[in-house]
C-alpha cells in the first residue's frame, strides 16, 4: 500500500495518495472521503490498469481547510489545480457521490482536461433533482438514531432488514456508529465536514450537463435513496455522450462489488 503525501497545489496543500501505472485516473471521493479511513478505490482493480490518484477534499483528512465559505466551484478548482500539480494535461475522472458532483463541475470548467468521465451515485441538482440533504443528519444528536437514519437512506433494503432481522440490522447500526465516530475524530473532520456539506447543498450542475460532451459512464444503485436512480436517468438524458448502468446495490454500489469497476475497465480498454 502506498503512503499518502502532502502536495502543494496552486490553491492549497492536499493529502494525496497515488498508486499503479498506466493512463492517469483521478478519483474524487464522497463527502466523507478521508484517505486515512476509507480508500476502497485503491483496493479495487483500478490501480492495476491506471495511475490512480486521490486526495482528501478540502476540509477533510490531512488536506487544508481554507477560511471562508466554500462552493462546488471551489472543489472543482481544487481538482483542476490537482491535475496541474500532478502534471496531468488530461486524465480520466471517476467521481463518487459528492465527488461525482465535483466531477460534473470540473468537466464543465475544463472539458479538455477530462478524457473520459465516470459518475457513481450522482445527482445533477437543480431541475434534474438533488441528492438527499444529508446535512440534516448533523441535527440528530443521538448517534444511534443518526446511524439508523443514514442507513435507511443509503440502501432502501435496510428498512426491510429492520423487520426481518433486527439483530443483523442492529449490528449494522453499531458498525455505522463506529464508522461515523472514527470519521468525526479524524484530523479536523468535525469542523470541515459541515462546511463541505454547506457547499454540497448548493450543488446545481443541471444547466451545465448539455455542454459536457465527454464520454461518460453513469452508475446508479437500484436501492439508493440518497441519489435515487431517477437522478442518474436525468443525467443521461441531459448529457450527449452518457450511458447508464444500473447496479443492484445501494449508495455505495461503486466498490461494494466489482461490477462498476469491471464495466469501467471493459468500456475504457485502450
Amino acid at each position: 500500500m502506498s503512503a499518502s503525501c502532502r502536495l502543494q497545489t496552486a490553491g492549497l496543500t492536499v493529502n494525496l495518495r497515488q498508486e499503479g501505472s498506466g493512463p492517469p485516473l483521478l478519483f474524487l471521493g464522497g463527502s466523507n472521503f478521508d484517505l486515512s479511513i476509507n480508500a476502497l478505490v485503491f483496493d479495487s482493480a483500478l490501480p492495476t490498469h491506471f495511475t490512480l490518484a486521490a486526495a482528501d477534499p478540502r476540509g477533510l483528512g490531512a488536506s487544508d481547510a481554507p477560511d471562508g465559505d466554500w462552493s462546488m466551484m471551489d472543489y472543482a478548482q481544487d481538482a483542476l489545480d490537482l491535475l496541474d500539480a500532478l502534471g496531468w494535461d488530461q486524465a480520466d475522472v471517476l467521481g463518487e457521490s459528492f465527488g461525482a458532483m465535483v466531477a460534473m463541475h470540473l468537466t464543465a470548467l475544463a472539458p479538455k482536461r477530462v478524457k473520459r468521465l465516470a459518475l457513481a451515485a450522482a445527482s445533477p441538482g437543480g431541475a434534474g433533482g438533488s441528492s438527499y440533504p444529508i446535512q440534516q443528519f448533523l441535527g440528530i444528536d443521538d448517534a444511534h438514531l443518526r446511524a439508523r437514519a443514514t442507513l435507511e437512506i443509503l440502501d432502501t433494503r435496510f428498512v426491510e432488514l429492520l423487520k426481518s432481522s433486527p439483530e443483523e440490522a442492529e449490528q449494522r447500526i453499531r458498525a455505522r456508529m463506529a464508522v461515523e465516530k472514527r470519521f468525526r475524530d479524524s484530523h479536523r473532520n468535525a469542523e470541515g465536514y459541515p462546511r463541505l456539506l454547506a457547499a454540497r447543498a448548493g450543488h446545481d450542475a443541471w444547466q451545465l450537463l448539455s455542454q459536457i460532451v465527454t464520454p461518460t459512464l453513469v452508475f446508479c444503485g437500484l436501492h439508493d435513496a440518497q441519489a435515487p436512480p431517477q437522478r442518474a436517468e436525468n443525467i443521461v438524458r441531459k448529457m450527449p455522450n452518457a450511458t447508464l448502468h444500473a447496479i443492484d446495490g445501494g449508495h455505495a454500489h461503486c466498490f461494494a462489488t466489482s461490477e462498476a469497476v469491471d464495466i469501467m475497465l471493459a468500456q475504457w480498454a485502450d
Side-chain angles (χ1 to χ4, degrees), residues 39-48 52 94 254-255 261:
L40 293 177
V41 63
F42 289 100
D43 296 329
S44 74
L46 292 175
T48 65
L52 174 65
L94 166 61
C254 193
F255 302 111
V261 170

Side-chain angles (χ1 to χ4, degrees), residues 4-270:
S4 60
C5 65
R6 300 270 286 170
L7 178 68
Q8 179 66 53
T9 74
L12 68 163
T13 302
V14 299
N15 185 47
L16 173 78
R17 180 173 167 185
Q18 184 173 322
E19 280 187 22
S21 60
L25 171 61
L26 177 65
F27 175 71
L28 301 173
S31 60
N32 62 351
F33 186 70
D34 180 334
L35 283 166
S36 68
I37 296 176
N38 179 14
L40 293 177
V41 63
F42 289 100
D43 296 329
S44 74
L46 292 175
T48 65
H49 297 268
F50 296 91
T51 300
L52 174 65
D56 295 334
R58 65 164 58 197
L60 298 187
S63 288
D64 286 352
D67 293 335
D69 296 330
W70 304 335
S71 69
M72 294 304 295
M73 283 305 300
D74 288 323
Y75 283 96
Q77 186 63 53
D78 290 345
L80 182 57
D81 291 342
L82 179 55
L83 290 177
D84 288 341
L86 289 168
W88 291 356
D89 293 332
Q90 190 178 55
D92 295 319
V93 175
L94 166 61
E96 181 184 22
S97 190
F98 173 76
M101 301 179 189
V102 176
M104 296 178 210
H105 291 278
L106 167 64
T107 309
L109 174 66
K112 293 183 179 180
R113 304 295 297 275
V114 181
K115 179 181 178 182
R116 295 170 296 199
L117 179 64
L119 306 172
S123 293
S130 297
S131 183
Y132 187 88
I134 58 175
Q135 67 271 16
Q136 294 181 2
F137 294 144
L138 296 176
I140 303 177
D141 293 329
D142 186 290
H144 190 278
L145 291 177
R146 184 171 61 251
R148 172 174 170 165
T150 300
L151 290 171
E152 290 176 356
I153 295 301
L154 290 174
D155 195 316
T156 57
R157 295 170 294 186
F158 187 73
V159 174
E160 182 56 38
L161 185 67
L162 285 166
K163 301 174 184 176
S164 64
S165 184
E167 291 185 358
E168 181 182 349
E170 180 63 23
Q171 290 175 355
R172 294 193 186 183
I173 290 172
R174 296 291 177 181
R176 179 70 194 187
M177 290 170 62
V179 167
E180 291 183 355
K181 183 179 187 306
R182 186 181 179 195
F183 172 75
R184 184 178 63 251
D185 293 344
S186 176
H187 297 87
R188 294 176 295 170
N189 291 350
E191 293 79 29
Y193 184 57
R195 299 174 66 192
L196 179 150
L197 292 185
R200 177 186 181 278
H203 166 65
D204 183 357
W206 181 244
Q207 297 302 325
L208 303 175
L209 296 184
S210 61
Q211 307 168 25
I212 298 176
V213 298
T214 305
T216 303
L217 302 174
V218 180
F219 299 98
C220 68
L222 293 174
H223 309 285
D224 184 1
Q226 182 167 316
Q230 181 64 48
R231 304 292 188 266
E233 294 170 7
N234 290 343
I235 292 172
V236 171
R237 280 198 293 268
K238 190 78 166 178
M239 295 180 69
N241 292 319
T243 56
L244 179 64
H245 298 273
I247 308 295
D248 186 21
H251 191 68
H253 61 269
C254 193
F255 302 111
T257 69
S258 66
E259 184 175 357
V261 170
D262 289 344
I263 292 172
M264 283 182 58
L265 294 176
Q267 294 289 321
W268 288 1
D270 289 324

